[in-house]
Amino acid sequence: MGIQFKKYSLVLATLASFIITGSMVQAQTLAEQKVKNEIQKQLGDRAKVTGVKSTPIKDLYEIAIGGDIVYADASGRYLIQGELIDLKSGTNLTEQRSNEINRIKWSDLPLNDAIKIVRGNGARQMAVFADPNCGFCKRLEKSFQDLNNVTIYNFLVPMLSADSLTKSQQIWCASDRAKVWTDWMVGGVAPSGKTDCANPLDRNAALAKKLGVTGTPAMFFVDGSRVAGAVPLAQIEKKLK
């Protein structure tokens, strides 16, 4: 009788736990939806809220607007821009979540639309969206000269000027695209030649828009993560590993 009572009590306790947990999850979901509705109401057509998630801080909510992360209070009245860092663990929660929501599927990249450069055995892979007139892209390309055993796929996305488009066309139309690209980005030797060959520039622009690339350089890695800007080579090496 005692054993049966204990089993019955355990079942009741487990059931109660499920009910309480379910109620808490439902309440959290409702709170998140409420914040999302209010933020979207405030923003109107200026931007679309793609997600709302609770944070470890009470009444502070993570707001995903496109590929960006911001924060809001429970009323949905105040937006906070900045990074949320867990000082105990040293984790940058904003960066962590940004990487999660902006992750891509490497196999979906149309690599034939990129200029392929192989160094060493080419075992490690990365993709770069770059404008030929982008100063930070040139700085990044120069640092790439110290990378080994890597394959880099350069997607030309002329964003800066009409000359960017012309140079992108000339580079793509060259018989040795990789050499002409490197000669210009690293050596300053301007491309020349025809501009009227078939090219993937429109497709690259559409892909950049789809992936939320709004500036160059933007790098993508095999694990689907991304890094924006001309970051130190050590950070790139870490991602390649």
Side-chain angles (χ1 to χ4, degrees):
M1 187 74 175
I3 295 176
Q4 288 181 340
F5 179 76
K6 287 181 179 180
K7 287 183 177 179
Y8 182 67
S9 299
L10 181 60
V11 170
L12 286 178
T14 303
L15 182 60
S17 177
F18 279 139
I19 293 172
I20 293 171
T21 301
S23 298
M24 291 174 63
V25 170
Q26 184 178 22
Q28 179 176 309
T29 302
L30 289 172
E32 291 170 350
Q33 187 61 49
K34 180 181 177 182
V35 172
K36 182 178 181 180
N37 292 341
E38 185 58 32
I39 293 293
Q40 190 61 72
K41 178 182 175 183
Q42 298 286 348
L43 293 176
D45 296 331
R46 289 173 293 172
K48 181 175 176 58
V49 178
T50 53
V52 172
K53 188 176 183 294
S54 300
T55 72
I57 302 174
K58 184 180 179 182
D59 293 333
L60 182 68
Y61 291 84
E62 170 197 298
I63 313 296
I65 301 176
D68 297 322
I69 296 290
V70 293
Y71 300 93
D73 69 322
S75 73
R77 177 178 177 179
Y78 300 100
L79 274 185
I80 304 170
Q81 290 181 307
E83 296 184 331
L84 185 61
I85 299 173
D86 183 340
L87 293 179
K88 186 174 183 179
S89 66
T91 304
N92 186 325
L93 300 177
T94 306
E95 181 181 48
Q96 186 180 73
R97 284 289 296 147
S98 181
N99 287 338
E100 288 175 6
I101 67 173
N102 287 302
R103 194 171 295 275
I104 69 162
K105 190 175 181 181
W106 175 265
S107 60
D108 286 344
L109 290 177
L111 301 180
N112 288 333
D113 285 348
I115 297 173
K116 181 179 178 180
I117 296 178
V118 180
R119 293 195 174 89
N121 62 25
R124 304 181 297 172
Q125 299 182 83
M126 61 183 293
V128 184
F129 285 71
D131 183 304
N133 284 330
C134 162
F136 288 111
C137 298
K138 291 178 181 178
R139 182 189 303 176
L140 189 66
E141 189 65 36
K142 288 175 182 176
S143 72
F144 285 164
Q145 306 310 300
D146 293 324
L147 282 177
N148 197 21
N149 298 330
V150 63
T151 298
I152 303 173
Y153 296 93
N154 291 289
F155 287 87
L156 298 176
V157 280
M159 295 180 171
L160 296 178
S161 66
D163 183 64
S164 293
L165 175 59
T166 300
K167 281 189 170 66
S168 295
Q169 291 169 334
Q170 290 172 326
I171 292 168
W172 187 263
C173 291
S175 57
D176 190 341
R177 296 166 185 159
K179 182 179 185 304
V180 175
W181 170 256
T182 304
D183 285 349
W184 167 241
M185 299 299 281
V186 178
V189 180
S192 60
K194 62 181 182 179
T195 60
D196 57 352
C197 67
N199 63 67
L201 299 180
D202 287 341
R203 293 194 297 274
N204 288 356
L207 178 63
K209 182 178 181 180
K210 178 182 177 181
L211 298 179
V213 175
T214 56
T216 56
M219 291 169 280
F220 293 85
F221 299 87
V222 176
D223 66 354
S225 62
R226 72 177 70 195
V227 173
V231 299
L233 192 62
Q235 186 175 340
I236 297 172
E237 284 279 9
K238 185 177 179 181
K239 294 297 296 181
L240 288 169
K241 291 178 181 178

